[in-house]
Amino acid sequence: MARGTLRIYLGAAPGVGKTYAMLSEAHRRVERGTDCVVAFVEHHHRPRTEVMLHGLEQLPRREIEYRGGTFTEMDVDAVLRRAPKVALVDELAHTNMPGSRNTKRWQDVEELLAAGIDVISTVNIQHLESLGDVVESITGVRQRETLPDEVVRRADQIELVDMSPQALRRRMAHGNIYKPDKVDAALSNYFRPGNLTALRELALLWVADRVDAHLTEYRSEHHVSAIWGSRERIVVGLTGGPEGRTLIRRAARLAEKGAGGEVMAVYISRSDGLTAVSPKELALQRTLVEDLGGTFHQVVGDDIPAALLDFARGVNATQIVLGVSRRRSWQYVFGPGVGATVARESGPDLDVHLITHAEVGKGRGLPVARGARLGRSRVISGWLAGVLGPLLLTWLLKSVVPDIGLANHMLLFLTLTVAAALLGGLLPALASAVVGSTLLNWFFTPPVHTLTVADPQNIVAIVVFVGVAVAVASVVDLAARRTHQAARLRAESEILSFLAGNVLRGETGLEDLLERVRETFGMESVALLERAGEKDPWTCAGSVGPGPATTPDAADVDVPVGDHMALSLCGRVLPAADRRVLAAFAAQAAVVVDRRRLKGEADRAEELAEGNRIRTALLAAVSHDLRTPLAGIKAAVTSLRSDDVEWSEEDQAELLEAIEEGADRLDHLVGNLLDMSRLQTGTVTPIIRETDLDEVVPMALGAVPEDTVDLDVPESLPMVGVDRGLLERSVANIVENAVKYSPPGERVLVSASAMADRVEIRVVDRGPGVPDEVKDRIFEPFQRYGDAPRGDGVGLGLAVARGFAEAIGGTLHAEDTPGGGLTMVLAVRTAPGRRRERPDVSPAVTS
């Protein structure tokens, strides 16, 4: 069965019209005869959205009982039984109620897609997992309901539902989104123009990145080499010289002129190590470009202009920024230079900027080791000097300067042999020695025009000439080989040191490392494969590029890492010399994978250790703190049942009061233990609703005597988005702790005030206070400060209070009370949206 398609309407903020657009699309499909049903759509009592549901088949929802209330969720089984062509599922990031089939609604959608049902859904940009911190910094609201970006990226179609901030605020003011009594609070908090503008930019950029990924994939599949200037991408060519920082800053300024501009710095490292750079300077330039929001790339290429242009066209760049050459004027006789070559060959679709800098014309310093294997042009020059050179020299000696003596003839021919060795290496030098000795014998050694030698001294001279020529050629060739090896090792060491530094600092993830491999060796795709045993199938631990290999045999290059891991590359066959560096990359990839696994195991071990510590403390609490009130209850009951003593009514009342106090203490201790257990196991599910503090805080004071607390909670405070039960328990524990440590006769002050987008509840006592170094420790489980008597609790009150505060999106910390004592500050977010009817996230961030 073919998998269904997923279409998502993405919005920048609640109220932009995602659900309305989804329902409009449903009506269009129904008119075309498509079998389309509403699996779950939340109209939020918006009249226009509610009207759009008319005429569409709505499937029944599943009812779930939770905490004494009844809630409805999408009935996945009902949708599968109905098997429509298209199902409408609203709010893709929604968290299902406990007891549902799946934890998240997007998992329900995955089941529908797997069953071949097309799904149309909606999601807001703030619900994407990768943008959670950014959205919180903008709006001050932490998103509790998120979904992985990959779920949205895998959608077959994403349509951005856009609206200007001014238009959205007008829609809000007209009552089309929230009820009239909530409009003012919403407009002054979450729906401020700045917030909406920033969220809109996030949505536009995220969609643009996805479009860009599709464009890159299309260009790769269709082998499009021409540059499509759909977005400004600026490539900065670095040489490792001091001018690199000037070029990076200039490129960043160019990128700022166009919205969405991107800077990519690239350093071309020759495979033979021709270019020697300072690793320190290159690291500084890499840090600079990343600080400016760009990316750093290092690729290998023997032809620097061609490699730079290939990289620029591969990333669909629109501009290249290069520095004016540092060569001196006389050095241009050897060629036009990289900048001029790139500008000449860039074509009309790629702009090249040559930037002046302070290092222009100052030279490159001492010549670096040329070190390479002799290039093609030098080999040809060597053969010309070794074969044609002796012939030309013979003609000159016979016609221009005859009779200068055999010794001088031999020195001139030897000079040509040395030149051939310097230019072309061993073989051209040997050819020069053979040709030169033959011409010396034929034209200049008596008897001439014969290959015989009459004078024995001349025989010795020719033999010495051949020996010297061969020796010089061998030495030059050996030096070239050794220089090439040293230069290649230097290039490899630069790459490996750069790689190792990133991996050891933890700056490189597996995918980043594999992308570095793909760029460095110019491959199409790279995958790290692993398996549990020899007979187990291969699985992909990570991959980059289109069409990665699924088995090592299917790859063009396969580098084993241990017995059960392999780095597989597709694109071309690499020479054996590159496999050494590739093996180092493979080993580092295995280190990254192992480190990721070890981190997971360490986290699990830490959880186990924490659980073990809590269990140990729990045993201690049970052995003493719980037995103390039990002993008091037992003693009182035994006394009442005793027939030997005639208890007065006052005595009986006192004993009954002791029993009641012991039972209350037991109930409180057991309640805190159960609450701590829920927090440790992550089973606390807050039901966020708009709440008035003056309705919750007074209820939290029921466990303390009335004459011990002063309450100051103004009715004018804004409503907060919290779970009422969790907030009440948190405040109750804080107040009970404050009363316990307050001196006799001193009252605890509980006050509340609004500050920006939050409301602070302050519990002030005049007790002994807590030193600064202990303030964080008092919130840990089973921690009791000072000389608190045993039996007064197990040290869980503040730990439970902070846990519940964080569960509802708030914070709890301790401050010193001016004049002595401790002040607990519980901060919770205000609720700019309407009253929620479902236990989802804060109503301010749900459409």
Side-chain angles (χ1 to χ4, degrees):
M1 179 183 295
R3 179 180 173 86
T5 61
L6 175 61
R7 178 172 182 170
I8 293 178
Y9 286 93
L10 178 68
V16 295
K18 302 180 304 301
T19 305
Y20 190 93
M22 178 179 67
L23 294 174
S24 299
E25 175 64 20
H27 279 287
R28 286 192 292 270
R29 298 199 182 197
V30 170
E31 291 174 0
R32 295 196 299 264
T34 304
D35 182 16
C36 184
V37 302
V38 176
F40 190 97
V41 169
E42 191 69 77
H43 55 73
H44 298 291
H45 302 293
R46 295 169 185 169
R48 296 185 179 182
T49 305
E50 193 170 359
V51 169
M52 292 297 294
L53 285 169
H54 297 166
L56 297 177
E57 179 185 352
Q58 301 186 49
L59 298 182
R61 302 183 182 183
R62 180 186 176 191
E63 293 187 351
I64 298 177
E65 300 289 337
Y66 183 70
R67 288 190 174 183
T70 301
F71 304 95
T72 59
E73 296 288 359
M74 181 176 67
D75 194 335
V76 179
D77 292 325
V79 181
L80 294 175
R81 286 194 301 269
R82 173 64 175 77
K85 174 61 178 174
V86 180
L88 307 184
V89 182
D90 204 7
E91 297 182 358
L92 187 61
H94 170 73
T95 301
N96 293 329
M97 291 295 301
S100 300
R101 180 170 182 156
N102 295 304
T103 304
K104 305 288 288 187
R105 184 166 292 164
W106 66 263
Q107 296 170 329
D108 296 337
V109 169
E110 287 293 324
E111 287 195 36
L112 302 183
L113 295 173
I117 300 174
D118 296 343
V119 176
I120 305 178
S121 187
T122 65
V123 71
N124 278 335
I125 192 67
Q126 65 261 29
H127 294 303
L128 296 181
E129 199 168 70
S130 65
L131 300 178
D133 294 339
V134 180
V135 173
E136 183 180 11
S137 66
I138 294 171
T139 65
V141 178
R142 181 64 180 177
Q143 302 302 313
R144 292 289 173 180
E145 287 191 332
T146 60
L147 78 166
D149 291 38
E150 187 60 27
V151 174
V152 183
R153 290 185 185 277
R154 288 200 305 263
D156 299 274
Q157 185 175 352
I158 298 178
E159 182 171 335
L160 179 64
V161 183
D162 189 25
M163 178 176 290
S164 69
Q166 294 76 14
L168 182 57
R169 285 172 60 84
R170 283 197 300 271
R171 177 180 289 184
M172 173 76 69
H174 293 160
N176 295 332
I177 301 177
Y178 293 157
K179 294 180 180 179
D181 59 335
K182 307 298 182 186
V183 170
D184 291 339
L187 290 176
S188 60
N189 289 277
Y190 190 83
F191 287 85
R192 292 193 297 268
N195 289 358
L196 297 178
T197 301
L199 291 174
R200 187 187 188 199
E201 182 181 17
L202 276 181
L204 291 170
L205 291 177
W206 192 91
V207 174
D209 285 339
R210 186 178 185 278
V211 172
D212 185 63
H214 279 295
L215 179 61
T216 301
E217 183 178 350
Y218 177 86
R219 285 165 49 85
S220 176
E221 291 176 353
H222 292 78
H223 306 287
V224 178
S225 58
I227 292 176
W228 293 353
S230 56
R231 180 179 179 182
E232 288 295 336
R233 286 186 178 83
I234 303 175
V235 170
V236 184
L238 300 179
T239 64
E243 77 281 0
R245 284 176 263 179
T246 301
L247 303 184
I248 292 170
R249 293 189 179 96
R250 181 59 182 273
R253 292 196 296 271
L254 289 174
E256 291 175 357
K257 295 180 180 180
E262 184 178 356
V263 176
M264 291 172 283
V266 58
Y267 168 65
I268 310 296
S269 174
R270 292 190 177 183
S271 62
D272 54 17
L274 263 175
T275 305
V277 300
S278 167
K280 181 179 179 180
E281 179 64 29
L282 204 60
L284 291 174
Q285 294 175 15
R286 171 182 177 272
T287 302
L288 175 61
V289 71
E290 291 177 350
D291 289 343
L292 293 175
T295 56
F296 182 87
H297 307 265
Q298 183 170 351
V299 300
V300 174
D302 291 325
D303 188 340
I304 292 181
L308 182 60
L309 289 171
D310 287 344
F311 176 84
R313 293 192 174 101
V315 298
N316 201 28
T318 57
Q319 301 180 56
I320 295 179
V321 173
L322 298 173
V324 175
S325 177
R326 287 184 283 131
R327 295 190 300 176
R328 300 186 186 278
S329 301
W330 61 268
Q331 291 178 303
Y332 282 97
V333 300
F334 298 107
V338 173
T341 304
V342 170
R344 184 181 66 246
E345 299 179 0
S346 61
D349 52 358
L350 187 57
D351 297 334
V352 178
H353 301 265
L354 292 179
I355 308 300
T356 58
H357 49 85
E359 303 297 323
V360 173
K362 292 186 178 180
R364 294 180 177 271
L366 294 176
V368 299
R370 299 290 301 173
R373 190 173 293 156
L374 301 175
R376 182 180 179 183
S377 60
R378 288 187 58 181
V379 172
I380 293 175
S381 301
W383 280 103
L384 291 176
V387 177
L388 298 181
L391 296 176
L392 180 61
L393 179 61
T394 300
W395 177 80
L396 290 173
L397 292 176
K398 295 295 290 184
S399 59
V400 180
V401 284
D403 301 328
I404 61 174
L406 180 61
N408 291 325
H409 292 158
M410 295 182 65
L411 288 175
L412 291 174
F413 277 99
L414 181 60
T415 302
L416 278 179
T417 302
V418 173
L422 291 173
L423 288 173
L426 181 60
L427 293 180
L430 293 178
S432 176
V434 172
V435 174
S437 62
T438 301
L439 293 176
L440 275 172
N441 191 355
W442 184 267
F443 289 103
F444 303 105
T445 305
V448 295
H449 305 302
T450 66
L451 295 179
T452 60
V453 180
D455 189 347
Q457 292 182 357
N458 293 336
I459 296 177
V460 173
I462 292 176
V463 171
V464 170
F465 166 77
V466 174
V468 170
V470 172
V472 170
S474 300
V475 170
V476 170
D477 183 73
L478 180 62
R481 291 177 183 274
R482 292 292 183 265
T483 305
H484 165 71
Q485 293 173 359
R488 172 138 189 123
L489 290 174
R490 182 173 62 247
E492 292 177 359
S493 65
E494 289 175 4
I495 295 175
L496 294 178
S497 63
F498 179 79
L499 167 70
N502 286 352
V503 173
L504 291 176
R505 290 192 301 268
E507 299 176 357
T508 303
L510 180 59
E511 285 71 23
D512 295 332
L513 180 61
L514 297 180
E515 180 63 28
R516 183 73 65 183
V517 174
R518 191 179 71 86
E519 286 182 354
T520 300
F521 296 98
M523 307 301 286
E524 293 180 0
S525 64
V526 180
L528 184 65
L529 306 177
E530 60 178 348
R531 59 181 179 180
E534 294 292 339
K535 298 182 180 181
D536 295 312
W538 289 96
T539 59
C540 181
S543 65
V544 293
T550 56
T551 63
D553 296 335
D556 295 316
V557 180
D558 169 33
V559 179
V561 187
D563 297 331
H564 306 301
M565 191 175 291
L567 186 65
S568 301
L569 296 83
C570 296
R572 62 188 178 92
V573 178
L574 293 177
D578 290 337
R579 289 181 175 267
R580 178 171 53 196
V581 179
L582 191 57
F585 271 102
Q588 293 287 10
V591 169
V592 172
V593 173
D594 290 340
R595 185 175 61 194
R596 187 167 61 184
R597 289 175 178 166
L598 289 174
K599 186 178 183 303
E601 293 176 0
D603 292 341
R604 289 192 293 272
E606 185 177 354
E607 292 177 0
L608 292 174
E610 178 66 15
N612 185 62
R613 187 181 71 84
I614 291 179
R615 282 192 294 270
T616 302
L618 178 60
L619 288 175
V622 171
S623 65
H624 188 282
D625 294 278
L626 295 181
R627 293 181 64 184
T628 300
L630 279 175
I633 294 173
K634 175 67 175 177
V637 171
T638 302
S639 299
L640 287 174
R641 296 190 59 187
S642 175
D643 297 331
D644 301 336
V645 180
E646 187 69 26
W647 301 102
S648 65
E649 291 184 1
E650 292 79 3
D651 293 334
Q652 291 180 6
E654 185 176 351
L655 291 173
L656 290 173
E657 183 180 358
I659 294 173
E660 184 177 11
E661 290 179 356
D664 289 340
R665 289 170 58 188
L666 274 178
D667 179 68
H668 181 72
L669 292 173
V670 171
N672 275 340
L673 288 172
L674 292 177
D675 289 339
M676 198 66 227
S677 175
R678 292 169 58 207
L679 289 170
Q680 292 292 331
T681 56
T683 57
V684 175
T685 306
I687 302 177
I688 306 298
R689 299 180 186 275
E690 288 189 355
T691 303
D692 286 319
L693 284 182
D694 57 359
E695 297 177 359
V696 177
V697 176
M699 299 177 61
L701 309 181
V704 297
E706 294 183 1
D707 59 348
T708 59
V709 177
D710 288 333
L711 186 61
D712 180 17
V713 180
E715 296 182 359
S716 60
L717 288 175
M719 301 184 74
V720 294
V722 296
D723 182 300
R724 299 184 183 185
L726 297 184
L727 178 61
E728 180 183 339
R729 294 295 301 276
S730 182
V731 174
N733 280 357
I734 298 172
V735 173
E736 290 176 16
N737 183 79
V739 170
K740 179 170 61 177
Y741 286 97
S742 291
E746 290 287 346
R747 300 168 71 93
V748 172
L749 173 62
V750 179
S751 62
S753 59
M755 298 185 63
D757 59 346
R758 67 185 188 274
V759 174
E760 289 187 350
I761 303 172
R762 307 178 74 88
V763 179
V764 183
D765 67 57
R766 293 294 179 179
V770 174
D772 291 339
E773 62 272 13
V774 186
K775 282 188 172 63
D776 283 335
R777 201 187 316 157
I778 61 177
F779 293 103
E780 297 178 3
F782 302 102
Q783 296 294 321
R784 292 147 55 89
Y785 176 68
D787 57 352
R790 300 290 294 182
D792 263 6
V794 294
L796 286 177
L798 293 182
V800 170
R802 172 173 275 188
F804 283 167
E806 293 176 349
I808 59 177
T811 60
L812 175 62
H813 67 276
E815 298 178 355
D816 290 329
T817 301
L822 191 67
T823 299
M824 292 291 177
V825 183
L826 173 60
V828 293
R829 297 287 184 183
T830 58
R834 61 177 181 79
R835 184 178 297 274
R836 294 282 296 178
E837 298 179 358
R838 303 181 52 80
D840 300 334
V841 296
S842 174
V845 294
T846 306
S847 65

